[in-house]
Amino acid sequence: THGMLMPHALKIKKLKKKIALLIYQKKILDYCDKIIVNSNLEKKFLKKFSTNKKISIIPHGININKKNFFKKNNNKKIKFLFYSRIHPIKGLLELINIWSKSKTLKKMDLHIYGNIEDQTYFNKIKPLFKNNIKYLGSLNSKNKYRLLKKYNVLIYPSYSENFGIIILEALNAGLYVLIRKNLPWKNLNSKFGKLININKNSLEKNIILLSKQSKLKKINDERKYLRNYLIGNFGWKKISNLYLKIYNI
C-alpha cells in the first residue's frame, strides 16, 4: 500500500481519495489473499480501513554499499542536508522556517536536494533561500552516493512515511540521521540516528550536540558497525527470503 492510507497522505486531495476508497480500494483490501506493508505503523493505520487480517510487514531492502562508502568523512565542520522529493508532506518549509529564524542554526549550512513535485510549494520556499540555505538540485542513481557521502547528517522532517527509504539510503552512505519523531523508525540503533521533535528547541539542542568535534568523531567511528546493521536488517538476502516465504517459493 506504500503509505497511501497514512493520515497525512489522505489529507492531500482528500475528496478524490475518499471516493476511491469507498468505490473500489476497500474491496481490494478486504478480499485480496495477502497485503504487504513496510512497517508496523503502516499496518496500524491499514487496519482502520480493512478487515483483512492477512497483513505481513516487510521493510524495504537495499544494495549495501562497498566499503569505500564507509570511509571516514574528513569534514572539519559538520555538514547537514535535506534530501527528498519537494512536496508539502515532506515538511521542508517548516524546517527552513525554523533554520532561518534560529540564531544558532543560521550559522550553519543546510543543503537541499530533491525532485520538485509541487511547484507551488517550491515557490513558497524559494524566497527563504540564503547563503546558508541552498537548493542544489535532484539526486539520481549516478550521483546519489557520491554527493550524500560529502555530508554528515540527514535531517528528515517528513510528516508521514510508511517506511522512509531515503533514511535507509542516507544510512547506506554512512550518514547520521535526525528523523521526525512520529516516523516508523522506532527501532533505529541510537548509534546511527535519533528520532526528534521538529521544532526550534529540539533542533538546536541536537545540532549543537552533533556539531561538537567529539560527537562528529564518534559518528565516523560508528560506521564500521553500520554496515553490519544494514546487512542484518535491510540487505536483499534477508528481505528477498521474507518475500519468498510469503509466496511459498
Side-chain angles (χ1 to χ4, degrees):
T1 51
H2 283 283
M4 69 177 185
L5 297 175
M6 303 289 279
H8 275 281
L10 288 172
K11 289 178 183 177
I12 299 169
K13 299 180 181 177
K14 185 176 180 179
L15 181 60
K16 182 187 288 187
K17 290 182 177 179
K18 189 172 182 179
I19 292 171
L21 188 62
L22 290 172
I23 292 176
Y24 68 92
Q25 289 179 339
K26 189 177 187 307
K27 293 177 182 177
I28 294 172
L29 293 171
D30 287 343
Y31 294 108
C32 62
D33 293 317
K34 177 65 70 175
I35 301 173
I36 297 173
V37 298
N38 299 127
S39 67
N40 273 307
L41 186 64
E42 187 175 20
K43 182 177 180 178
K44 172 186 172 183
F45 287 112
L46 184 62
K47 285 182 175 180
K48 295 183 178 181
F49 299 98
S50 175
T51 56
N52 196 328
K53 298 185 183 301
K54 299 174 184 177
I55 303 174
S56 295
I57 301 170
I58 302 180
H60 284 297
I62 197 165
N63 292 317
I64 310 302
N65 275 319
K66 296 177 181 179
K67 290 182 180 179
N68 65 322
F69 283 108
F70 293 89
K71 290 180 180 178
K72 290 185 178 181
N73 189 314
N74 293 319
N75 293 338
K76 293 182 180 180
K77 182 180 177 182
I78 197 163
K79 296 182 72 175
F80 299 91
L81 86 153
F82 166 96
Y83 155 47
S84 186
R85 58 193 175 98
I86 310 299
H87 185 279
I89 206 167
K90 298 301 179 179
L92 178 58
L93 180 58
E94 180 186 8
L95 175 62
I96 291 176
N97 273 323
I98 293 169
W99 203 278
S100 61
K101 293 174 183 177
S102 165
K103 292 181 180 179
T104 299
L105 300 179
K106 67 169 53 175
K107 298 175 185 177
M108 303 176 189
D109 292 336
L110 174 65
H111 290 170
I112 298 158
Y113 294 90
N115 295 325
I116 301 170
E117 289 197 1
D118 188 317
Q119 188 63 50
T120 302
Y121 181 70
F122 185 71
N123 290 341
K124 293 179 183 178
I125 294 170
K126 278 173 67 175
L128 301 174
F129 293 156
K130 299 178 181 178
N131 289 335
N132 68 317
I133 304 174
K134 297 178 181 177
Y135 173 67
L136 298 175
S138 60
L139 299 182
N140 56 50
S141 57
K142 292 182 179 180
N143 69 11
K144 182 186 299 178
Y145 286 110
R146 177 175 58 82
L147 290 171
L148 285 178
K149 68 178 185 176
K150 293 181 179 181
Y151 295 87
N152 303 98
V153 179
L154 169 78
I155 302 177
Y156 198 63
S158 181
Y159 295 113
S160 177
E161 294 289 337
N162 68 310
F163 178 79
I165 196 166
I166 284 167
I167 297 166
L168 188 54
E169 290 175 338
L171 292 170
N172 201 25
L175 278 69
Y176 189 87
V177 293
L178 290 177
I179 312 165
R180 190 184 288 271
K181 207 166 190 175
N182 63 298
L183 299 188
W185 279 83
K186 306 299 182 188
N187 295 326
L188 177 67
N189 191 312
S190 59
K191 293 178 180 179
F192 314 132
K194 189 175 181 181
L195 279 74
I196 65 169
N197 292 312
I198 300 298
N199 58 45
K200 181 176 176 289
N201 290 339
S202 179
L203 279 170
E204 286 181 347
K205 178 183 174 181
N206 283 283
I207 286 173
I208 288 169
L209 177 63
L210 289 171
S211 299
K212 294 179 180 177
Q213 285 298 315
S214 58
K215 183 64 177 179
L216 186 56
K217 180 180 182 301
K218 188 175 180 181
I219 291 172
N220 275 324
D221 290 344
E222 299 295 0
R223 291 184 182 205
K224 58 186 176 182
Y225 303 109
L226 181 52
R227 182 177 172 82
N228 290 333
Y229 168 77
L230 291 173
I231 291 171
N233 292 278
F234 306 105
W236 274 118
K237 183 176 180 181
K238 176 183 175 68
I239 301 302
S240 58
N241 283 335
L242 293 174
Y243 276 104
L244 293 172
K245 186 177 180 181
I246 283 177
Y247 290 107
N248 297 315
I249 297 173

Coordinates of all heavy atoms in Angstrom, one line a residue, residues 50-111:
S50 N -9.6 -1.8 6.7 CA -9.8 -3.2 6.1 C -10.0 -4.2 7.3 O -9.3 -4.1 8.3 CB -8.7 -3.6 5.2 OG -8.8 -4.9 4.8
T51 N -10.8 -5.2 7.0 CA -11.0 -6.3 8.0 C -10.0 -7.4 7.7 O -10.0 -8.4 8.4 CB -12.4 -6.8 7.9 OG1 -12.7 -7.2 6.6 CG2 -13.4 -5.7 8.4
N52 N -9.3 -7.3 6.6 CA -8.3 -8.4 6.2 C -7.2 -8.5 7.3 O -6.5 -7.6 7.6 CB -7.7 -8.0 4.9 CG -7.0 -9.2 4.2 OD1 -6.5 -10.1 4.9 ND2 -7.1 -9.2 2.9
K53 N -7.0 -9.7 7.8 CA -6.0 -10.0 8.8 C -4.7 -10.5 8.2 O -3.8 -10.8 9.0 CB -6.6 -10.9 9.9 CG -7.8 -10.4 10.6 CD -8.2 -11.3 11.7 CE -9.5 -10.8 12.4 NZ -9.3 -9.4 13.0
K54 N -4.7 -10.8 6.9 CA -3.5 -11.3 6.3 C -2.5 -10.3 5.9 O -2.3 -10.0 4.7 CB -3.9 -12.2 5.1 CG -4.9 -13.3 5.4 CD -5.4 -14.0 4.2 CE -6.4 -15.1 4.5 NZ -6.9 -15.8 3.3
I55 N -2.0 -9.6 6.8 CA -1.1 -8.5 6.6 C 0.3 -8.9 7.1 O 0.5 -9.3 8.2 CB -1.5 -7.2 7.3 CG1 -3.0 -6.8 6.9 CG2 -0.6 -6.0 7.0 CD1 -3.5 -5.7 7.7
S56 N 1.3 -8.8 6.2 CA 2.7 -9.1 6.5 C 3.5 -7.8 6.4 O 3.3 -6.9 5.5 CB 3.3 -10.1 5.5 OG 2.6 -11.3 5.7
I57 N 4.5 -7.7 7.3 CA 5.4 -6.5 7.3 C 6.7 -6.9 6.8 O 7.4 -7.8 7.3 CB 5.6 -6.0 8.8 CG1 4.2 -5.6 9.4 CG2 6.5 -4.8 8.8 CD1 4.3 -5.2 10.9
I58 N 7.1 -6.3 5.7 CA 8.5 -6.5 5.1 C 9.1 -5.1 4.8 O 8.5 -4.3 4.0 CB 8.4 -7.3 3.8 CG1 7.8 -8.7 4.1 CG2 9.8 -7.5 3.3 CD1 7.7 -9.5 2.8
P59 N 10.2 -4.7 5.5 CA 10.8 -3.4 5.2 C 11.4 -3.4 3.8 O 11.5 -4.4 3.1 CB 11.9 -3.3 6.2 CG 12.2 -4.7 6.6 CD 10.9 -5.5 6.5
H60 N 11.7 -2.2 3.3 CA 12.4 -2.1 2.0 C 13.8 -2.7 2.2 O 14.4 -2.7 3.2 CB 12.5 -0.6 1.6 CG 11.2 -0.1 1.1 ND1 10.6 -0.5 -0.1 CD2 10.4 0.9 1.5 CE1 9.5 0.1 -0.3 NE2 9.4 1.0 0.7
G61 N 14.3 -3.2 1.0 CA 15.7 -3.7 1.0 C 16.6 -2.7 0.3 O 16.1 -1.8 -0.4
I62 N 17.9 -2.9 0.4 CA 18.8 -2.0 -0.3 C 20.1 -2.8 -0.6 O 20.5 -3.7 0.1 CB 19.1 -0.8 0.6 CG1 19.7 0.4 -0.3 CG2 20.0 -1.1 1.8 CD1 19.7 1.7 0.4
N63 N 20.7 -2.4 -1.7 CA 22.0 -2.9 -2.0 C 23.1 -2.2 -1.2 O 23.2 -1.0 -1.3 CB 22.4 -2.7 -3.5 CG 21.5 -3.6 -4.4 OD1 21.3 -4.7 -4.2 ND2 21.0 -3.0 -5.5
I64 N 23.7 -3.0 -0.3 CA 24.6 -2.4 0.7 C 25.9 -1.9 -0.1 O 26.5 -2.6 -0.9 CB 25.0 -3.4 1.8 CG1 23.8 -4.0 2.4 CG2 25.9 -2.7 2.8 CD1 22.8 -3.0 3.0
N65 N 26.3 -0.7 0.2 CA 27.4 -0.1 -0.5 C 28.8 -0.8 -0.2 O 28.9 -1.4 0.9 CB 27.6 1.4 -0.1 CG 26.7 2.3 -1.0 OD1 26.6 2.1 -2.2 ND2 26.1 3.2 -0.4
K66 N 29.7 -0.7 -1.1 CA 31.0 -1.2 -0.9 C 31.7 -0.5 0.3 O 31.3 0.6 0.7 CB 31.8 -1.1 -2.2 CG 31.2 -2.0 -3.3 CD 32.0 -1.8 -4.6 CE 31.4 -2.6 -5.7 NZ 32.2 -2.4 -7.0
K67 N 32.8 -1.0 0.7 CA 33.5 -0.5 1.9 C 33.9 1.0 1.7 O 34.0 1.7 2.7 CB 34.7 -1.3 2.3 CG 34.3 -2.7 2.8 CD 35.6 -3.5 3.2 CE 35.2 -4.9 3.7 NZ 36.4 -5.6 4.1
N68 N 34.2 1.4 0.5 CA 34.7 2.8 0.3 C 33.7 3.8 0.7 O 34.0 4.9 1.0 CB 35.2 3.0 -1.1 CG 34.0 2.9 -2.1 OD1 33.2 2.1 -2.0 ND2 34.1 3.8 -3.1
F69 N 32.4 3.4 0.8 CA 31.4 4.4 1.2 C 31.4 4.6 2.7 O 30.7 5.5 3.2 CB 30.0 3.9 0.7 CG 29.7 4.2 -0.7 CD1 29.7 3.1 -1.6 CD2 29.5 5.5 -1.2 CE1 29.5 3.4 -3.0 CE2 29.3 5.7 -2.5 CZ 29.3 4.6 -3.4
F70 N 32.1 3.8 3.4 CA 32.1 3.8 4.9 C 33.4 4.4 5.4 O 33.7 4.2 6.6 CB 31.7 2.5 5.5 CG 30.3 2.1 5.2 CD1 30.0 1.4 4.0 CD2 29.3 2.5 6.0 CE1 28.7 1.1 3.8 CE2 28.0 2.2 5.7 CZ 27.7 1.5 4.6
K71 N 34.2 4.9 4.5 CA 35.4 5.6 4.9 C 35.1 6.8 5.7 O 34.0 7.4 5.5 CB 36.3 6.0 3.7 CG 36.9 4.8 3.0 CD 37.8 5.2 1.9 CE 38.4 4.1 1.2 NZ 39.2 4.5 0.0
K72 N 35.9 7.2 6.6 CA 35.6 8.4 7.5 C 35.5 9.6 6.6 O 36.2 9.9 5.7 CB 36.7 8.6 8.5 CG 36.7 7.5 9.6 CD 37.7 7.8 10.6 CE 37.7 6.7 11.7 NZ 38.7 7.0 12.8
N73 N 34.5 10.4 7.0 CA 34.3 11.7 6.4 C 35.2 12.7 7.1 O 35.2 12.9 8.3 CB 32.8 12.1 6.6 CG 32.4 13.4 5.8 OD1 33.2 14.3 5.8 ND2 31.3 13.3 5.1
N74 N 36.0 13.4 6.3 CA 37.0 14.3 6.8 C 36.6 15.7 7.0 O 37.4 16.6 7.1 CB 38.3 14.2 6.0 CG 39.0 12.9 6.0 OD1 39.0 12.3 7.1 ND2 39.4 12.4 4.9
N75 N 35.3 16.0 6.9 CA 34.8 17.3 7.1 C 35.2 17.9 8.5 O 35.0 17.2 9.5 CB 33.2 17.4 7.1 CG 32.7 17.1 5.7 OD1 33.4 17.2 4.7 ND2 31.5 16.6 5.6
K76 N 35.8 19.0 8.5 CA 36.1 19.7 9.8 C 34.9 20.3 10.5 O 34.9 20.4 11.7 CB 37.3 20.7 9.6 CG 38.6 20.0 9.2 CD 39.7 21.1 9.0 CE 41.0 20.4 8.6 NZ 42.1 21.4 8.4
K77 N 34.0 20.7 9.6 CA 32.8 21.3 10.1 C 31.6 20.4 9.7 O 31.6 20.0 8.5 CB 32.6 22.7 9.5 CG 31.3 23.5 10.0 CD 31.3 24.8 9.3 CE 30.0 25.6 9.8 NZ 29.9 26.9 9.1
I78 N 30.7 20.1 10.6 CA 29.6 19.2 10.3 C 28.7 19.8 9.2 O 28.4 21.0 9.2 CB 28.8 18.9 11.6 CG1 28.0 17.6 11.4 CG2 28.0 20.0 12.0 CD1 27.5 17.0 12.7
K79 N 28.3 18.9 8.3 CA 27.5 19.3 7.1 C 26.1 18.6 7.2 O 26.0 17.4 7.3 CB 28.2 19.0 5.8 CG 29.6 19.8 5.7 CD 30.2 19.4 4.4 CE 29.5 20.1 3.2 NZ 30.3 19.9 1.9
F80 N 25.1 19.4 7.0 CA 23.7 19.0 7.1 C 23.0 19.0 5.7 O 23.3 19.9 4.9 CB 22.9 19.8 8.1 CG 23.4 19.8 9.5 CD1 24.4 20.8 9.9 CD2 23.0 18.9 10.4 CE1 24.9 20.8 11.2 CE2 23.5 18.9 11.7 CZ 24.5 19.8 12.1
L81 N 22.1 18.1 5.5 CA 21.3 18.1 4.3 C 19.9 17.6 4.5 O 19.7 16.9 5.4 CB 22.0 17.4 3.1 CG 21.6 15.9 3.0 CD1 21.8 15.4 1.6 CD2 22.5 15.0 3.9
F82 N 19.0 18.1 3.7 CA 17.7 17.6 3.5 C 17.7 16.9 2.1 O 18.1 17.5 1.1 CB 16.6 18.7 3.6 CG 15.3 18.3 3.1 CD1 14.3 17.8 4.0 CD2 14.9 18.3 1.7 CE1 13.0 17.4 3.5 CE2 13.7 17.9 1.3 CZ 12.7 17.5 2.2
Y83 N 17.2 15.7 2.0 CA 17.1 15.0 0.8 C 15.7 14.3 0.7 O 15.5 13.4 1.4 CB 18.3 14.1 0.6 CG 18.1 12.9 -0.3 CD1 17.5 13.0 -1.6 CD2 18.4 11.6 0.1 CE1 17.4 12.0 -2.4 CE2 18.3 10.5 -0.7 CZ 17.7 10.7 -2.0 OH 17.6 9.6 -2.8
S84 N 14.9 14.7 -0.3 CA 13.6 14.1 -0.5 C 13.0 14.8 -1.7 O 13.5 15.8 -2.2 CB 12.7 14.2 0.7 OG 11.5 13.4 0.5
R85 N 11.8 14.2 -2.1 CA 11.1 15.0 -3.1 C 10.5 16.2 -2.5 O 10.2 16.2 -1.3 CB 10.0 14.1 -3.7 CG 9.0 13.5 -2.7 CD 8.1 12.4 -3.4 NE 7.2 11.8 -2.4 CZ 6.0 12.1 -2.2 NH1 5.4 13.1 -2.9 NH2 5.2 11.5 -1.3
I86 N 10.4 17.3 -3.3 CA 9.9 18.6 -2.8 C 8.4 18.6 -2.8 O 7.8 18.8 -3.9 CB 10.5 19.8 -3.6 CG1 12.0 19.6 -3.7 CG2 10.1 21.1 -2.9 CD1 12.8 19.6 -2.4
H87 N 7.8 18.3 -1.7 CA 6.3 18.1 -1.6 C 5.9 18.5 -0.2 O 6.6 18.3 0.8 CB 6.0 16.7 -1.9 CG 4.5 16.4 -2.0 ND1 3.8 16.2 -0.9 CD2 3.7 16.2 -3.1 CE1 2.5 15.9 -1.2 NE2 2.5 16.0 -2.6
P88 N 4.7 19.1 0.0 CA 4.3 19.5 1.3 C 4.4 18.5 2.4 O 4.6 18.8 3.6 CB 2.8 20.0 1.1 CG 2.7 20.4 -0.4 CD 3.7 19.4 -1.1
I89 N 4.2 17.2 2.0 CA 4.2 16.2 3.1 C 5.5 15.9 3.7 O 5.7 15.4 4.8 CB 3.6 14.9 2.5 CG1 3.0 14.0 3.6 CG2 4.6 14.1 1.7 CD1 2.1 12.9 3.1
K90 N 6.6 16.5 3.0 CA 7.9 16.2 3.5 C 8.4 17.2 4.5 O 9.5 17.0 5.1 CB 8.9 16.2 2.3 CG 8.6 15.1 1.3 CD 8.6 13.7 1.9 CE 8.3 12.6 0.9 NZ 8.3 11.3 1.5
G91 N 7.7 18.3 4.8 CA 8.0 19.1 5.9 C 9.2 20.1 5.7 O 9.7 20.7 6.7
L92 N 9.6 20.3 4.5 CA 10.7 21.2 4.2 C 10.5 22.6 4.6 O 11.4 23.3 5.1 CB 11.1 21.0 2.7 CG 12.3 21.9 2.3 CD1 13.6 21.6 3.1 CD2 12.6 21.7 0.8
L93 N 9.3 23.2 4.3 CA 9.0 24.6 4.6 C 9.1 24.8 6.1 O 9.7 25.8 6.5 CB 7.6 24.9 4.1 CG 7.2 26.4 4.3 CD1 8.1 27.4 3.7 CD2 5.8 26.6 3.8
E94 N 8.6 23.9 6.9 CA 8.7 24.1 8.3 C 10.2 24.1 8.8 O 10.6 24.9 9.6 CB 8.0 22.9 9.0 CG 8.0 23.0 10.5 CD 7.4 21.8 11.2 OE1 7.1 20.8 10.5 OE2 7.3 21.9 12.5
L95 N 11.0 23.2 8.2 CA 12.4 23.1 8.6 C 13.1 24.4 8.2 O 13.9 24.9 9.0 CB 13.0 21.9 7.8 CG 14.6 21.7 8.0 CD1 14.9 21.5 9.5 CD2 15.1 20.6 7.1
I96 N 12.9 24.9 7.0 CA 13.6 26.1 6.6 C 13.2 27.3 7.4 O 14.0 28.1 7.8 CB 13.3 26.4 5.1 CG1 14.0 25.3 4.2 CG2 13.8 27.7 4.7 CD1 13.7 25.4 2.7
N97 N 11.9 27.4 7.8 CA 11.5 28.5 8.6 C 12.2 28.4 10.0 O 12.6 29.5 10.5 CB 10.0 28.4 8.8 CG 9.2 29.1 7.7 OD1 9.6 30.2 7.2 ND2 8.1 28.5 7.3
I98 N 12.3 27.3 10.5 CA 13.0 27.1 11.8 C 14.5 27.5 11.7 O 15.0 28.2 12.5 CB 12.9 25.7 12.4 CG1 11.4 25.4 12.7 CG2 13.8 25.5 13.6 CD1 11.1 23.9 13.0
W99 N 15.1 27.0 10.6 CA 16.5 27.2 10.4 C 16.9 28.7 10.2 O 17.8 29.2 10.8 CB 17.0 26.4 9.2 CG 18.4 26.0 9.2 CD1 19.5 26.8 8.8 CD2 19.0 24.8 9.5 NE1 20.7 26.1 8.9 CE2 20.4 24.9 9.3 CE3 18.5 23.6 10.0 CZ2 21.3 23.8 9.6 CZ3 19.3 22.5 10.3 CH2 20.7 22.7 10.1
S100 N 16.0 29.3 9.4 CA 16.4 30.7 9.1 C 16.1 31.7 10.3 O 16.7 32.8 10.3 CB 15.5 31.2 7.9 OG 14.2 31.1 8.1
K101 N 15.2 31.3 11.2 CA 14.9 32.2 12.3 C 15.7 31.9 13.6 O 15.6 32.7 14.5 CB 13.4 32.0 12.6 CG 12.5 32.6 11.5 CD 11.0 32.3 11.8 CE 10.1 32.8 10.7 NZ 8.7 32.4 10.9
S102 N 16.5 30.9 13.6 CA 17.3 30.5 14.7 C 18.7 31.1 14.6 O 19.4 31.0 13.6 CB 17.4 29.0 14.8 OG 18.4 28.6 15.7
K103 N 19.0 31.8 15.7 CA 20.4 32.5 15.7 C 21.5 31.4 15.7 O 22.6 31.6 15.2 CB 20.5 33.3 17.0 CG 19.7 34.6 16.9 CD 19.9 35.4 18.2 CE 19.0 36.6 18.2 NZ 19.2 37.4 19.4
T104 N 21.2 30.2 16.2 CA 22.2 29.2 16.3 C 22.3 28.5 14.9 O 23.4 28.3 14.4 CB 21.7 28.1 17.3 OG1 21.7 28.7 18.6 CG2 22.7 27.0 17.4
L105 N 21.1 28.1 14.3 CA 21.1 27.3 13.1 C 21.5 28.1 11.9 O 22.1 27.6 10.9 CB 19.8 26.7 12.9 CG 19.3 25.7 14.0 CD1 17.9 25.2 13.7 CD2 20.3 24.6 14.2
K106 N 21.2 29.4 11.9 CA 21.6 30.3 10.7 C 23.1 30.4 10.5 O 23.5 30.8 9.5 CB 20.9 31.6 10.8 CG 21.4 32.5 11.9 CD 20.9 34.0 11.7 CE 19.4 34.0 11.6 NZ 18.9 35.5 11.6
K107 N 23.9 30.0 11.5 CA 25.3 30.0 11.4 C 25.8 28.7 10.6 O 27.0 28.6 10.3 CB 26.0 30.0 12.7 CG 25.7 31.3 13.6 CD 26.2 31.2 14.9 CE 25.8 32.3 15.8 NZ 26.3 32.2 17.2
M108 N 24.9 27.8 10.4 CA 25.3 26.5 9.7 C 24.6 26.4 8.4 O 23.6 27.0 8.1 CB 24.9 25.3 10.7 CG 25.5 25.4 12.0 SD 24.9 24.1 13.1 CE 25.6 24.6 14.7
D109 N 25.2 25.6 7.5 CA 24.7 25.4 6.2 C 23.7 24.2 6.2 O 23.9 23.2 6.8 CB 25.8 25.0 5.2 CG 26.7 26.2 5.0 OD1 26.3 27.3 5.2 OD2 27.9 26.0 4.6
L110 N 22.6 24.4 5.4 CA 21.6 23.4 5.2 C 21.5 23.3 3.6 O 21.0 24.2 3.0 CB 20.3 23.7 5.8 CG 19.1 22.8 5.5 CD1 19.4 21.4 6.0 CD2 17.8 23.3 6.0
H111 N 21.9 22.2 3.1 CA 21.8 22.0 1.6 C 20.6 21.1 1.3 O 20.3 20.1 2.0 CB 23.1 21.4 1.1 CG 24.2 22.3 1.1 ND1 25.5 21.9 0.9 CD2 24.3 23.6 1.4 CE1 26.3 23.0 0.9 NE2 25.6 24.0 1.3

